[in-house]
Amino acid sequence: MLNIHKKKVKSELCFCSTIPSSGLTAVYNEAEERTELIAAYIKAGLQQNERCIWLVPDSQSAELAKNLLSNSELDIKRCMEKSRLKIITLQETDTLSEKQPEISGIYFNWEAGNPQKEIIKFIHAGNWQYLRINLEIRVFGKPISSSLKELRRILAENMPEKKIRPLFLIREEDLSAEEVFNLIEAGEKLIIKRDGKWKFLKIKQESQDKKFKTLLESSADSILIHDMNGRVLEANHIACEIFGYTRSKMLGKHIKDLRTNIHLTEFGQQIEKLKETGYFTFEMDSLRRDGTVIPQEINNRLIEYDGETAVLSIGRDISERRRTEKALKDSERKYRMLFEEFPDGIAQLDKYGTIIVCNEKFENFTGSHENEKLIFNLLSPSEESKTKEKSFACLPEVPVHCDIKYISSLENKNIPAEITYKPLISENSRFNGGIILVEDLSEVKRLEAVRLQQTESLRKLVDSIPAPAFCKDRNGVYIACNKGFETLMGLKKQDVIGKSINDILSPEIAEKYHTMDIEMVKHKRNQIYETSLKSPDGSMHQVMLNKFIFSGVTEEDSVLLGIMIDITERKQAEEKMLQAKMAAEAANRAKTTFIVNMSHELRTPLNAVIGFSELLLSETVGPLNEKQKRYTENISKSGNHLLDVINDVLDISRLELGNIELYYETVDIPGVIEEVQRVLSPLSAEKNISIESNIEKDLKTIIADRVKIKQILYNILNNAIKFSSENGKVNISAELKEDTVEISIKDEGIGIHESDYERVFHPFVQIDESISRKYGGVGLGLALVKRFVELHGGKVWVDAIPGKGSTFTFRIPKKPENKAQENVNSVKVSYDLEIEREEEKVREEIN
């Protein structure tokens, strides 16, 4: 843009004075300045009885023009009636300027359009001497000076006998430094508004050199003057700033040093072209002193400088334009990419029905291509309307949506399609064409047919199920049910299909299962559960629901199949079995309680029998003869045996009742084994059975219930001695196994069959009744062993060979995972304490 703020101007312009025959050329900045200037220009003409034409862009501007002219002493209405004034609206300006930008560079073509005809008619009507008219000059690919010259030629050709005083209007932003040179050289009288007044723009009549410098420095573009060999002769301050040199450094430089990728050969070609045409315009990247590059539009023309032919080179920074162009290209590329990637056919059309851009799917489907007219009518896109010979240029200005059967140009067969059209309306409500979407519905229709087939198959499947069954879609809506479901729910099929569970059951129940069913379909989960259901007759039914998810053609087509099995009778039977089980358990608990109570009642007098027999054997109250001593010993042995049986029965009963607790303490395993051996040594001595022990050296102590460990060892070792033959051998081994202790007792007795391994640990079980009679016992010893080992978190098992012996092994942790208590003295019944009390009473009686 030309910087004309520093120009020297004359005094205020008077539009009533003589106007040059070629007219005035005004440079304006804002639209308000232009309107003000035209109003003053037209008023002055009317005051001098001249005919005037005011060209305005639209009807709103026409009203504004009338108002401006009415605010004066002139009778505007009378002037218009007498055909002295004509305000003409150029309503077709934009269309004409778009269609013919290269013809004249002005708003309109004199040979086209109603406003233009109206201008010609007004000019030729009547007898007048002078006419004033305002004409806007715009840049449409030609220099403004060329447009002015051509416009004057058109005026002269159309009205050779008339005297026209035109007012040519140019926007200041459209003027470049080169065009200022052109206008000055052409002798144009330029007027501008400065300090609130319109004045002539005039360069001071100084030396030619001064004039050049003034023009050079007033330009906002970079200006270089170089000779025909490329040496810089002159440069303005803008050029120096752009290239990064002082003026003295710029002068004398070769032009190739200021441009990138230019060689002397190319420079010579440019000079030759300048000699032929007189001017040469091109774009080039200019090289700055710091090595950076700035894009410029270069306009070269031949001039005379200091008496020699030289080149005036005007460079305009086009960085912003390059960025804009790049952004536009990127936008167009993205726009094109969106079109190409669009899954269906898509096209953009102008308002005449010509395809601007479309993708391959659109071309294949419709047979229409870019830069061609659309070959079917959007308002009636039927098969009959599609012809190669006829195209439909009229696009509707309203949206269109329709389903059609279209003959595809690619496959030459009927294809179901959906066409959607949306008009494009600009911000000023102008129709600019539209967008067409064409969707091939072949796959959609195929899926619809598959869905119908799937639905029908599901209905048949549901009807064939003997139990009540139903089918729901992913939204929880019933799509099928059978007779069994109708009977169970007391509803007809027509009252179920198309509805949800919310329409059938109570809200509190329905909401729970409705949400659950939707989640099942969504996540494709099957589920089986039991629930209660009230039948229409009021009876309650227990129902087992089996729900399965069937995947459809797409995720949206997945359905839920439900099968309802009435388990009311089974539940009733289970309830009876549960009641019977509870009764049996209650009877068992009563039995156990009775045994505990009876054991206590039996043990109390038995303690006295044992105590007094031992007291007699000690001969504290007097000596016994051999016969008395033998009877007393039999009483003591029988009592102790009976006491052991009662104690075992009591322990088993307590275990069944859950009344046995462990009292943890530090247990010396070698010491306990030795103690048990010592207790049972009389029994082993009777049968001449040797007991050997093999204890791992590192095995010392564990945390356990000492009493229970002793009883475990006692019961197993007692059985080993009991079931071993005379002169036999029993081996005890103990070793560490990681965090556990493993103790095994091996005998050479009668052995056990493998089928009886589990039975030997059951209460009151003897493998052979004959053995029971020979060896005695009630079958509680090993049962207690198993219970006590398991209480410690351990395990017991047996390996045996019939006739060759058995090995009983148990393994318990060295430390319990959750100790109930440690180092607690157990509160237990001490038979010794009872005996001591009885002995004390006897002594008191003797004394």
Side-chain angles (χ1 to χ4, degrees), residues 12 57 138 174 229 312 352 391 408 516 539 573 584 587 592 648 714 748:
E12 184 178 359
R138 291 287 176 85
D174 290 338
N229 296 320
L312 175 66
Y352 301 109
S391 62
S408 171
M516 182 177 69
S539 60
T592 303
D648 288 345
Y714 180 89
E748 297 177 349

Side-chain angles (χ1 to χ4, degrees), residues 301-312:
R301 63 182 299 158
L302 293 179
I303 64 169
E304 185 178 332
Y305 186 78
D306 288 342
E308 300 288 339
T309 302
V311 178
L312 175 66

Side-chain angles (χ1 to χ4, degrees), residues 265-321:
T265 303
E266 186 178 355
F267 175 75
Q269 293 172 352
Q270 293 179 1
I271 293 297
E272 291 301 320
K273 188 170 183 179
L274 268 176
K275 290 178 180 179
E276 293 176 6
T277 61
Y279 66 91
F280 181 44
T281 302
F282 59 95
E283 292 183 6
M284 179 168 282
D285 291 336
S286 296
L287 185 63
R288 306 180 68 177
R289 182 182 180 183
D290 59 6
T292 57
V293 172
I294 180 171
Q296 285 189 310
E297 181 185 71
I298 307 298
N299 191 300
N300 287 350
R301 63 182 299 158
L302 293 179
I303 64 169
E304 185 178 332
Y305 186 78
D306 288 342
E308 300 288 339
T309 302
V311 178
L312 175 66
S313 183
I314 302 174
R316 174 168 293 180
D317 186 351
I318 57 172
S319 300
E320 185 62 32
R321 191 174 81 188

Side-chain angles (χ1 to χ4, degrees), residues 48-214:
Q48 297 183 119
N49 294 321
E50 296 179 4
R51 182 167 288 198
C52 300
I53 297 176
W54 190 341
L55 301 180
V56 294
D58 49 46
S59 57
Q60 186 176 359
S61 300
E63 291 299 320
L64 176 62
K66 289 180 184 179
N67 293 334
L68 288 174
L69 294 176
S70 298
N71 294 331
S72 64
E73 66 279 4
L74 296 171
D75 188 350
I76 300 304
K77 185 177 181 181
R78 181 175 176 80
C79 289
M80 296 180 72
E81 290 174 352
K82 295 293 184 179
S83 297
R84 289 180 55 207
L85 172 65
K86 188 73 172 179
I87 300 176
I88 299 176
T89 302
L90 301 176
Q91 296 175 340
E92 300 181 18
T93 296
D94 289 348
T95 302
L96 294 169
S97 63
E98 288 173 3
K99 293 173 67 176
Q100 298 181 355
E102 299 293 338
I103 292 178
S104 62
I106 57 175
Y107 264 143
F108 56 86
N109 181 3
W110 289 94
E111 299 177 357
N114 292 329
Q116 288 78 353
K117 293 177 181 178
E118 192 174 351
I119 292 172
I120 298 298
K121 181 179 179 182
F122 183 77
I123 289 175
H124 288 284
N127 185 19
W128 50 271
Q129 186 176 4
Y130 295 103
L131 179 137
R132 297 192 179 198
I133 186 172
N134 61 292
L135 296 171
E136 186 88 9
I137 308 298
R138 291 287 176 85
V139 179
F140 289 119
K142 281 190 176 183
I144 288 180
S145 58
S146 299
S147 297
L148 280 170
K149 184 177 180 181
E150 186 175 354
L151 188 53
R152 286 195 176 95
R153 179 184 60 77
I154 293 172
L155 291 173
E157 289 177 356
N158 282 274
M159 293 149 286
E161 74 285 359
K162 303 294 183 178
K163 294 181 180 180
I164 298 178
R165 295 174 173 175
L167 174 62
F168 300 109
L169 299 155
I170 306 171
R171 287 184 305 189
E172 185 176 331
E173 64 184 29
D174 290 338
L175 281 173
S176 65
E178 179 194 8
E179 286 156 349
V180 171
F181 282 114
N182 292 339
L183 292 174
I184 291 176
E185 287 182 352
E188 291 291 342
K189 303 294 184 181
L190 298 177
I191 59 174
I192 62 173
K193 186 176 184 180
R194 290 293 178 267
D195 302 326
K197 299 178 180 179
W198 287 96
K199 304 176 182 180
F200 278 105
L201 172 67
K202 187 175 181 181
I203 305 295
K204 268 190 157 184
Q205 296 298 322
E206 298 177 356
S207 65
Q208 188 74 12
D209 200 37
K210 185 70 173 176
K211 178 179 178 181
F212 259 117
K213 287 185 178 179
T214 303

